[in-house]
């Protein structure tokens, strides 16, 4: 009887051991699966991060050849650290919820920048619009990118980089408002347009400059900034700079920014000191020095891989600039085609690539930076500029084959007169011209 009980006990003990083994094996297996899952998740996260942060793909350690062609570098290049930070920024979309109601923009109203901000945010209540905070100005104003549409092909509009050119932020704001209101009203052509295109707009590249040009130096939050101190000495009627006295449209690290060739004299408009004079373009002590410039570099690089057209809006001369003599025939043909589209509608004069200078010290514009990025230039950690690895030689390649860059100069001259601005927009069919570029 005792032996039988022992056998029963041993049998139960064996069953218990087997049971515990199975449970342990299951736990280990589950842990293994969990670890594998975590490894896979981490791999995916790391892979995504590498795609977003792969700035090395657009950076070279090469110096330009034929450097003896350069007479002088009068501005330091952008640091590799600042360039890396500019293009590695993380998306910062605003979460705006609510019911869309018709947005009103009135050309006859003189707007503060803060009032324009409210219009941008109101547009973002539409399901066709996204708004991103891409940076801050010197005087701590928000800079926005506004995305309208669901398509892959991107048309970019940049407005208001020069302070006194207040018309272009108003032109593009009116354009956005009309477009989104039509979409929300069920307009078939607009719905079709926005389902097949993405329109990305920087409505004010220099918000401090806009506010100062429209409302005077007292509109600045920080009265210790350069243009607040200088405003009593010179008129702000033709001011181009940001609040630091830097011309943002000479502060970009394009290949020939902040230097000039020995075959030229330094261009008469270049200033080596801060200035708010009409024809004194100061590029800063260092390329990419300004927060506005760095925000725009982020914005440009974010959308360049899907770019179809890039349009920089300025206001002085009723001309359309296009083409770069040192870039490829494909790039120049694309840009000239795009410029002709605008010229045929507005009757603005279309310039040729021969009208574009390079190496006279007057380079470093946002459009040059974008044109060179489209063409496949990389950033040189040696020169602190975009680089084709060869000065004064045609770069006969293009990375994004359909892309173009143009600069539209509306109006005869700078003005803050609202009636003049309104007449220009409607009399010269600027809305039709913008739509034609999007549809090219």
């Amino acid at each position: 009887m005792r032996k039988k009980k022992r056998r029963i006990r041993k049998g139960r003990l064996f069953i218990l051991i087997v049971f515990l083994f199975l449970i342990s094996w299951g736990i280990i297996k589950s842990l293994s699966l969990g670890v594998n899952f975590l490894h896979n998740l981490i791999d995916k996260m790391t892979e995504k991060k590498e795609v977003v942060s792969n700035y090395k793909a657009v950076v070279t350690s090469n110096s330009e050849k034929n450097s003896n062609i350069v007479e002088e570098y009068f501005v330091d290049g952008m640091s590799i650290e600042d360039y890396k930070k500019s293009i590695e920024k993380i998306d910062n979309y605003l979460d705006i919820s609510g019911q869309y109601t018709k947005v009103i923009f009135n050309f006859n109203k003189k707007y503060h920048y803060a009032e324009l901000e409210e219009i941008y945010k109101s547009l973002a209540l539409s399901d066709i619009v996204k708004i991103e905070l891409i940076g801050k100005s010197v005087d701590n104003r928000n800079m926005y990118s506004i995305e309208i549409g669901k398509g892959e092909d991107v048309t970019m509009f940049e407005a208001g980089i020069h302070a006194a050119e207040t018309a272009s932020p108003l032109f593009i704001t009116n354009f956005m408002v009309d477009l989104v209101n039509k979409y929300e009203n069920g307009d078939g052509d607009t719905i079709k347009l926005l389902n097949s295109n993405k329109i990305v707009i920087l409505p004010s590249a220099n918000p401090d400059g806009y506010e100062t040009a429209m409302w005077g130096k007292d509109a600045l939050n920080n009265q210790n900034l350069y243009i607040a101190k200088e405003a009593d000495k010179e008129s702000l009627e033709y001011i181009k700079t940001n609040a630091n006295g830097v011309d943002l449209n000479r502060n970009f690290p394009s290949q020939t920014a902040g230097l000039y060739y020995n075959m030229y004299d330094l261009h008469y408009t270049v200033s080596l000191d801060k200035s708010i004079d009409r024809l004194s373009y100061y590029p800063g002590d260092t390329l990419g020095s300004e927060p506005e410039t760095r925000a725009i570099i982020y914005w440009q690089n974010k959308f360049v891989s899907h770019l179809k057209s890039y349009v920089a809006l300025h206001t002085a001369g009723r001309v359309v600039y296009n083409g770069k003599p040192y870039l490829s025939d494909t790039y120049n043909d694309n840009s000239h085609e795009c410029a002709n589209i605008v010229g045929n509608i507005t009757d603005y004069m279309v310039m040729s690539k021969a009208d574009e200078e390079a190496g006279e010290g007057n380079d470093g514009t946002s459009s040059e930076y974008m044109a060179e990025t489209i063409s496949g230039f990389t950033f040189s950690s040696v020169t602190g500029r975009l680089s084709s690895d060869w000065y004064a030689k045609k770069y006969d390649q293009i990375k994004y084959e359909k892309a173009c860059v143009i600069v539209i100069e509306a109006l005869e001259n700078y003005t803050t007169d609202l009636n003049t601005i309104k007449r220009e927009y409607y009399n010269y069919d600027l809305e039709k011209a913008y739509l034609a570029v999007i549809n090219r």
Side-chain angles (χ1 to χ4, degrees):
M1 188 72 178
R2 288 179 180 176
K3 288 181 178 179
K4 186 177 181 181
K5 287 182 177 179
R6 287 194 192 102
R7 283 197 297 271
I8 291 171
R9 287 173 183 163
K10 287 181 179 179
R12 289 175 177 171
L13 181 60
F14 177 77
I15 292 169
L16 179 61
I17 291 171
V18 171
F19 178 73
L20 290 173
F21 172 79
L22 291 172
I23 291 175
S24 300
W25 182 85
I27 292 172
I28 291 170
K29 186 68 175 175
S30 297
L31 287 172
S32 176
L33 290 171
V35 170
N36 288 337
F37 172 77
L38 287 172
H39 278 307
N40 290 335
L41 181 61
I42 290 169
D43 286 343
K44 288 181 179 179
M45 291 173 66
T46 304
E47 182 182 2
K48 183 178 180 182
K49 184 178 180 182
E50 287 175 353
V51 171
V52 172
S53 305
N54 190 18
Y55 75 97
K56 291 181 180 179
V58 294
V59 171
T60 179
S61 60
N62 290 336
S63 176
E64 298 285 353
K65 296 174 185 175
N66 276 3
S67 57
N68 61 320
I69 202 170
V70 177
E71 179 71 18
E72 183 182 359
Y73 292 86
F74 57 88
V75 178
D76 291 336
M78 189 175 184
S79 74
I80 188 66
E81 292 80 11
D82 282 345
Y83 194 72
K84 177 182 174 182
K85 289 176 184 176
S86 296
I87 64 175
E88 278 192 326
K89 284 170 62 176
I90 299 171
D91 291 344
N92 189 17
Y93 288 99
L94 303 187
D95 184 13
I96 297 176
S97 58
Q99 184 70 34
Y100 185 88
T101 57
K102 182 179 180 180
V103 178
I104 303 298
F105 175 81
N106 183 358
F107 266 123
N108 296 319
K109 179 179 177 179
K110 185 178 177 181
Y111 286 95
H112 280 286
Y113 182 71
E115 294 175 293
L116 295 178
E117 286 185 271
E118 292 306 309
I119 291 176
Y120 307 153
K121 292 175 184 177
S122 296
L123 292 173
L125 292 172
S126 171
D127 66 352
I128 206 71
V129 179
K130 293 170 66 177
I131 183 170
E132 182 181 6
L133 178 62
I134 63 169
K136 294 272 191 177
S137 68
V138 171
D139 201 36
N140 205 37
R141 286 180 175 82
N142 293 331
M143 295 177 65
Y144 298 101
S145 169
I146 299 168
E147 300 171 32
I148 307 174
K150 300 176 181 178
E152 287 192 3
D153 288 342
V154 172
T155 299
M156 301 178 76
F157 289 90
E158 164 220 308
I161 200 167
H162 282 148
E165 298 178 26
T166 55
S168 59
L170 302 180
F171 289 157
I172 205 64
T173 299
N174 188 76
F175 177 73
M176 290 190 295
V177 168
D178 283 350
L179 198 63
V180 178
N181 281 340
K182 287 178 182 178
Y183 171 84
E184 289 291 331
N185 286 335
D187 181 76
D189 290 339
T190 303
I191 292 171
K192 182 179 178 181
L193 174 78
L194 297 183
N195 281 334
S196 57
N197 289 276
K198 185 186 289 291
I199 305 162
V200 183
I201 295 170
L202 175 60
S204 184
N206 183 3
D208 300 341
Y210 169 86
E211 190 73 0
T212 305
M214 291 293 279
W215 296 93
K217 70 168 190 174
D218 291 339
L220 289 171
N221 301 312
N222 183 354
Q223 290 294 304
N224 290 318
L225 291 170
Y226 175 81
I227 59 172
K229 292 180 177 180
E230 293 295 309
D232 292 334
K233 299 179 183 179
E234 298 180 63
S235 169
L236 293 175
E237 184 179 359
Y238 298 110
I239 183 172
K240 284 180 171 286
T241 72
N242 73 344
N244 276 341
V246 174
D247 185 343
L248 297 174
N249 211 35
R250 300 296 183 275
N251 192 237
F252 285 80
S254 61
Q255 184 183 35
T256 54
L259 62 84
Y260 66 102
Y261 293 161
N262 54 26
M263 65 185 78
Y264 301 122
D265 293 326
L266 183 63
H267 199 275
Y268 73 94
T269 61
V270 177
S271 174
L272 301 181
D273 296 299
K274 293 183 178 183
S275 175
I276 58 174
D277 184 65
R278 180 179 185 180
L279 291 176
S280 296
Y281 304 158
Y282 174 63
D285 293 328
T286 304
L287 299 175
S289 60
E290 303 309 294
E292 297 93 340
T293 307
R294 296 192 293 271
I296 299 168
I297 288 173
Y298 157 75
W299 177 71
Q300 290 173 318
N301 278 277
K302 179 175 181 176
F303 296 102
V304 68
S305 61
H306 294 284
L307 186 70
K308 182 170 60 174
S309 303
Y310 188 93
V311 183
L313 299 178
H314 290 253
T315 50
R318 292 194 182 124
V319 297
V320 187
Y321 291 105
N322 67 98
K324 304 292 177 186
Y326 58 93
L327 296 181
S328 69
D329 291 340
T330 301
Y331 167 80
N332 283 299
D333 289 346
N334 290 349
S335 297
H336 197 63
E337 173 213 346
C338 192
N340 278 328
I341 290 171
V342 175
N344 289 337
I345 293 170
T346 60
D347 206 29
Y348 290 174
M349 180 183 295
V350 175
M351 311 301 282
S352 72
K353 66 181 180 182
D355 297 303
E356 293 280 336
E357 75 279 351
E360 296 185 39
N362 201 27
D363 306 327
T365 68
S366 63
S367 58
E368 286 163 348
Y369 175 84
M370 197 57 163
E372 292 172 6
T373 301
I374 287 167
S375 297
F377 284 31
T378 50
F379 183 83
S380 170
S381 58
V382 178
T383 65
R385 294 158 169 83
L386 290 186
S387 170
S388 66
D389 198 31
W390 203 290
Y391 281 124
K393 181 180 179 181
K394 185 174 178 179
Y395 188 76
D396 201 18
Q397 300 175 41
I398 185 167
K399 187 174 182 180
Y400 303 106
E401 293 187 355
K402 296 181 180 179
C404 73
V405 177
I406 63 172
V407 178
I408 303 176
E409 295 269 10
L411 291 165
E412 285 186 298
N413 213 330
Y414 306 159
T415 183
T416 57
D417 180 73
L418 299 177
N419 285 326
T420 302
I421 291 170
K422 180 180 179 179
R423 285 196 302 269
E424 185 80 11
Y425 185 81
Y426 291 112
N427 290 350
Y428 287 85
D429 273 335
L430 291 182
E431 178 180 348
K432 184 178 179 181
Y434 300 165
L435 290 171
V437 171
I438 295 166
N439 279 313
R440 68 176 277 268

